[in-house]
Amino acid sequence: MKNIRFLFKRDITEFKHTFKENRDVTGAISSAVIMLIIYSTFIFVFYKFAYAYLTTRKDATGGVFELMTFVYAASALVGVILGVRKIYGLIVAGKDYEVLLCQPVGASELFMYKLVRIYASQILSTAVIVIPSVISIDLVTNLDFSVTYYLKAIFGVLTLPFVTCAVAALISVPYAELSRFLESRFVVKLIIYVAVIGIAFYFYGMFLQ
């Protein structure tokens, strides 16, 4: 456990050192402002969507259940996508020998440290979607939500990452093989990207109808 804390402290130290070396304060502030605007837009759009959806429902409780199901499904999808990339970057493509040679850390401790990092990133990605959604639903309904409502949301934020991590771990194996296959095949990669974008626009058009 001591070595795992040591690895996290090393990450924080490297982040501070990188930030001081770059000294691009304007760029950092601009990126933070852009992310804040995008996140605020997401919250505003979901609030309007929840208001329009729940105010037209006669059964408000059923509407809340359906909306929360959608929120958790969307959060799980985002978690799986981000989890696959995180698992691939840390476990599959990670260069463990650099850490094992330079730091007094065992292979099992290094693996546990990576699992904790993946789980923490999943909690963060789940929380940024679920928490504002839960608050928005509470604000647009006339239902008298108790503390249990928010405790269930927190429980979901802490437990859903276990599911998304498991699914992402299964997908990361074929993802790694596909990444190696496409690494030097630009044309094939471009065709796949265009196909994915086309499918996304197709389903988006279906949703608008």
Side-chain angles (χ1 to χ4, degrees):
M1 192 67 184
K2 181 179 179 182
N3 288 333
I4 295 176
R5 289 198 300 267
F6 167 77
L7 289 172
F8 278 107
K9 289 180 180 178
R10 188 203 63 167
D11 287 342
I12 296 173
T13 303
E14 287 183 354
F15 175 78
K16 291 180 179 178
H17 179 70
T18 303
F19 184 78
K20 288 180 180 179
E21 276 190 346
N22 293 335
R23 294 185 179 277
D24 188 9
V25 180
T26 305
I29 294 176
S30 301
S31 300
V33 170
I34 292 173
M35 291 299 296
L36 182 61
I37 292 173
I38 294 174
Y39 189 57
S40 301
T41 304
F42 158 73
I43 296 175
F44 177 76
V45 170
F46 181 82
Y47 176 84
K48 290 295 185 182
F49 172 74
Y51 180 82
Y53 183 77
L54 293 175
T55 51
T56 57
R57 290 293 303 267
K58 294 181 179 179
D59 182 15
T61 305
V64 169
F65 177 78
E66 293 173 358
L67 203 54
M68 286 306 303
T69 302
F70 170 76
V71 168
Y72 281 114
S75 179
L77 179 61
V78 173
V80 168
I81 294 173
L82 296 179
V84 169
R85 294 185 61 84
K86 197 75 173 179
I87 290 173
Y88 177 77
L90 283 177
I91 296 180
V92 180
K95 298 180 180 180
D96 295 345
Y97 64 87
E98 295 180 358
V99 179
L100 293 173
L101 288 175
C102 302
Q103 308 294 344
V105 180
S108 60
E109 291 174 317
L110 181 61
F111 183 72
M112 183 61 65
Y113 151 77
K114 291 185 175 184
L115 289 181
V116 173
R117 275 192 62 179
I118 293 169
Y119 176 66
S121 66
Q122 290 288 290
I123 289 179
L124 180 61
S125 65
T126 304
V128 297
I129 296 176
V130 172
I131 298 302
S133 302
V134 166
I135 296 174
S136 299
I137 292 173
D138 188 12
L139 293 176
V140 300
T141 59
N142 295 322
L143 299 176
D144 186 16
F145 289 113
S146 61
V147 179
T148 308
Y149 171 74
Y150 287 97
L151 290 178
K152 288 180 180 178
I154 295 174
F155 179 76
V157 168
L158 295 177
T159 55
L160 185 61
F162 287 109
V163 179
T164 55
C165 284
V167 176
L170 294 174
I171 298 176
S172 62
V173 177
Y175 175 81
E177 294 298 326
L178 182 63
S179 296
R180 294 191 187 98
F181 175 76
L182 296 176
E183 191 171 359
S184 59
R185 294 170 174 82
F186 174 77
V187 177
V188 178
K189 189 185 300 185
L190 181 62
I191 293 174
I192 292 176
Y193 284 159
V194 172
V196 170
I197 294 173
I199 293 172
F201 273 106
Y202 172 75
F203 283 108
Y204 178 71
M206 290 180 60
F207 177 75
L208 290 179
Q209 293 177 358

